[in-house]
Amino acid sequence: MHFNQTNHQKRNILVVDDTPDNLRLLSAMLTAQGFEVRKALNGKMALTACQMVLPDVILLDINMPGMDGYEVCQQLKADDKTCEVPVIFISALDDVVDKVKAFDVGGVDYIAKPFHGAEVVLRIENQINLRLLQVKLQEKNFLLQQALDNLKTSQVQQIQNEKMVALGQLVAGLAHEINNPISFIYGNLQYAGQYVEDLVNMIEVYQQEYPKPTPKIQQVAKDVDLNFMIKDLQNLIGAMYRGSDRIREIVLALQHFSRHDEAEMKRVNIHEDIENTLVMLQHRLREATERPAIIVVKDYGNLPLVTCYASELNQVFMHLLNNAIDAIEEGVGNGEFGAPSGDKGELRVENQSCIPYSLLSTPQIRIHTEVTDLNMVKIAIADNGFGIEESLRSRLFDPFFTTKPVGKGSGLGLSISYQIIVQKHRGNISCTSSVGKGAEFVIEIPIDQPDILLQVSKS
């Protein structure tokens, strides 16, 4: 039986046998069938030959001095380079136990001596065909996995785009609707305060001109506690003024955060964007019933204006800061921080950190920025929460992977952040963490991206 050369294309067969006559017989028979045959007299020679040129099939004798066929096969299967090569055992041992052991160590077939040439060729042909099918299947699996990864990436990108459009429209609409009435209130409070001051002055003049009011006026003044009301009225006007100013600040932060009309890449102040994001998250940083207020430690470097997609970079800051707060709250659940210390809920900001961060006993988030030697801007956001297990860190940026409980996370935040930083800004994003010692996410993006700016200007 002649094996078709077009199918095997001079397939490489390694024959391993300590008997020279067997080697010559098998070599002559397989060469006549169109195979390229190499020979090895012992196990060590066989292993060396496999490292030099990877065979398509190995014919392996069992009984050999020094290293028997079982041990040779085990070493072949333990090596990533040779583990996929089919091994056919050829042996005079025809006991069931020997055959079972041959298959246990990784053999794919077993031929008992004396053998027939046609049988050997047929079994080699079968193994080569099976190997070809396995390779094709692996290629198809690889293509399918690629297609699935591309689909996930496209799906995440589509979700991100839809979220950004919806968020921009919502925030822009809310900011516009809130801005009109609050501007009216804020603008008129100045006049209201002046009117109140004038009325108070008038009452004081009345008290001076008429030091002995009538009994009815005395009773009304007593009922309304006139002296307290006059003093407290000034405080009320000041509180309303501060409140409306705070609302204006939040509206401005909303507009900056969404940057609805700034879809293109432009130069921005990174620190302003971080501050606007913190304004948006201030309600989560304040003291809660189960934990003290979260302190934000800002360690800002001297950064130039950075070329970026500002609204999308703000999304990254939002995701990372939200995750830091979630990690701290998880740490609270694990008893890492004490009970609230009576803080009134104000956001406390420090400008320096002299204590080792991992040793801090109160919930804190540290934001560090600097320019690296590679002309990149580095933004590091660290928390002293519960930390992330090593087995999970490699999957953090995978689409739809989340370490949070059901209903708490979508598994898209870090995946979207990865796409924004790596794919859109040609930067890097990484995480270092260990359980019980918090986590730190580091972003690095180029200060300038002339190629992208050129494409934007041309479009």
Side-chain angles (χ1 to χ4, degrees):
M1 178 179 179
H2 191 279
F3 187 60
N4 190 343
Q5 283 193 19
T6 59
N7 288 338
H8 59 72
Q9 298 176 345
K10 295 289 277 188
R11 293 294 181 181
N12 188 296
I13 311 297
L14 177 63
V15 181
V16 187
D17 198 316
D18 64 329
T19 305
D21 290 341
N22 288 341
L23 282 179
R24 282 192 292 271
L25 175 62
L26 286 168
S27 177
M29 179 184 65
L30 295 175
T31 302
Q33 296 297 321
F35 292 102
E36 180 181 339
V37 181
R38 291 185 298 148
K39 296 170 282 188
L41 283 167
N42 55 55
K44 290 185 178 179
M45 290 177 63
L47 295 174
T48 302
C50 288
Q51 292 299 325
M52 293 176 62
V53 177
L54 198 65
D56 294 297
V57 176
I58 299 174
L59 296 180
L60 181 59
D61 188 25
I62 293 178
N63 282 331
M64 293 185 296
M67 184 187 298
D68 63 19
Y70 299 133
E71 188 176 349
V72 173
C73 188
Q74 285 175 324
Q75 291 198 28
L76 289 170
K77 297 304 174 183
D79 190 332
D80 290 339
K81 182 178 179 181
T82 58
C83 63
E84 299 293 339
V85 179
V87 176
I88 301 175
F89 282 100
I90 296 182
S91 177
L93 303 173
D94 198 22
D95 192 271
V96 172
V97 175
D98 298 308
K99 293 180 180 180
V100 169
K101 187 174 181 179
F103 288 111
D104 283 343
V105 296
V108 296
D109 207 346
Y110 190 100
I111 302 174
K113 296 178 181 179
F115 51 78
H116 299 283
E119 179 186 4
V120 175
V121 173
L122 182 61
R123 289 177 183 264
I124 290 175
E125 178 185 359
N126 287 340
Q127 291 305 322
I128 289 176
N129 288 335
L130 283 174
R131 182 65 190 140
L132 287 173
L133 290 174
Q134 287 176 345
V135 170
K136 289 181 179 178
L137 183 60
Q138 288 173 352
E139 290 175 351
K140 287 183 179 179
N141 287 340
F142 177 75
L143 292 174
L144 284 172
Q145 186 62 48
Q146 267 194 327
L148 180 60
D149 292 342
N150 292 337
L151 180 62
K152 284 184 177 181
T153 301
S154 300
Q155 189 175 11
V156 170
Q157 189 61 51
Q158 185 178 6
I159 292 172
Q160 166 68 0
N161 291 339
E162 291 177 356
K163 282 179 63 177
M164 290 300 294
V165 171
L167 177 67
Q169 292 174 344
L170 176 65
V171 169
L174 280 174
H176 178 74
E177 291 300 321
I178 296 172
N179 195 51
N180 287 334
I182 199 59
S183 296
F184 176 79
I185 294 170
Y186 185 82
N188 285 303
L189 269 176
Q190 181 179 356
Y191 301 109
Q194 185 62 51
Y195 297 158
V196 167
E197 186 177 344
D198 292 342
L199 288 173
V200 169
N201 289 336
M202 182 172 287
I203 291 173
E204 290 175 349
V205 170
Y206 266 105
Q207 288 175 332
Q208 293 171 2
E209 294 295 324
Y210 299 96
K212 293 183 179 180
T214 64
K216 185 176 181 180
I217 292 176
Q218 290 181 10
Q219 185 61 41
V220 171
K222 183 179 179 181
D223 291 342
V224 300
D225 196 352
L226 183 61
N227 291 332
F228 172 79
M229 183 176 68
I230 290 174
K231 291 179 181 179
D232 196 48
L233 196 53
Q234 303 293 333
N235 295 332
L236 289 177
I237 294 293
M240 287 188 288
Y241 192 85
R242 291 192 299 273
S244 59
D245 188 51
R246 173 66 181 150
I247 295 173
R248 289 177 68 250
E249 180 186 348
I250 292 172
V251 169
L252 188 62
L254 278 169
Q255 291 171 330
H256 280 294
F257 178 79
S258 66
R259 294 185 183 266
H260 183 59
D261 300 324
E262 302 177 14
E264 293 183 352
M265 181 167 279
K266 60 180 296 183
R267 296 184 185 277
V268 299
N269 185 323
I270 293 293
H271 292 155
E272 286 185 0
D273 284 349
I274 294 174
E275 292 297 323
N276 287 324
T277 308
L278 287 171
V279 170
M280 303 283 290
L281 291 171
Q282 196 172 57
H283 67 287
R284 296 201 66 195
L285 296 167
R286 291 195 178 99
E287 177 185 319
T289 55
E290 68 278 1
R291 62 157 174 80
I294 298 173
I295 298 173
V296 177
V297 180
K298 301 172 187 175
D299 181 20
Y300 289 167
N302 186 18
L303 299 187
L305 296 179
V306 178
T307 303
C308 64
Y309 293 101
S311 63
E312 297 191 22
L313 198 59
N314 284 343
Q315 284 290 306
V316 176
F317 296 150
M318 177 66 78
H319 288 312
L320 296 185
L321 288 168
N322 256 323
N323 283 348
I325 296 170
D326 290 341
I328 286 173
E329 291 181 344
E330 182 183 0
V332 170
N334 286 277
E336 191 171 337
F337 305 108
S341 57
D343 197 313
K344 299 301 182 181
E346 297 292 330
L347 174 63
R348 295 176 291 173
V349 176
E350 305 287 343
N351 288 321
Q352 57 185 355
S353 55
C354 56
I355 304 173
Y357 193 59
S358 60
L359 301 179
L360 295 170
S361 59
T362 55
Q364 295 194 16
I365 295 173
R366 183 181 61 195
I367 306 173
H368 169 80
T369 63
E370 65 177 54
V371 176
T372 69
D373 295 337
L374 299 176
N375 204 34
M376 306 270 281
V377 166
K378 175 181 176 181
I379 304 121
I381 297 176
D383 65 74
N384 61 343
F386 189 65
I388 304 169
E389 294 180 14
E390 185 177 356
S391 60
L392 302 178
R393 285 207 306 272
S394 62
R395 301 181 60 196
L396 284 178
F397 301 106
D398 291 351
F400 307 107
F401 175 77
T402 179
T403 61
K404 298 175 184 177
V406 176
K408 293 290 185 180
S410 64
L412 290 174
L414 289 179
S415 177
I416 288 171
S417 299
Y418 181 88
Q419 288 190 11
I420 291 172
I421 297 300
V422 176
Q423 297 177 11
K424 296 206 72 171
H425 289 87
R426 303 177 181 180
N428 305 302
I429 181 170
S430 61
C431 172
T432 56
S433 177
S434 58
V435 175
K437 295 185 178 180
E440 181 180 55
F441 285 86
V442 177
I443 301 166
E444 289 183 328
I445 59 173
I447 294 175
D448 294 303
Q449 304 199 36
D451 293 346
I452 298 179
L453 282 174
L454 183 62
Q455 292 173 12
V456 170
S457 63
K458 285 183 177 179
S459 61

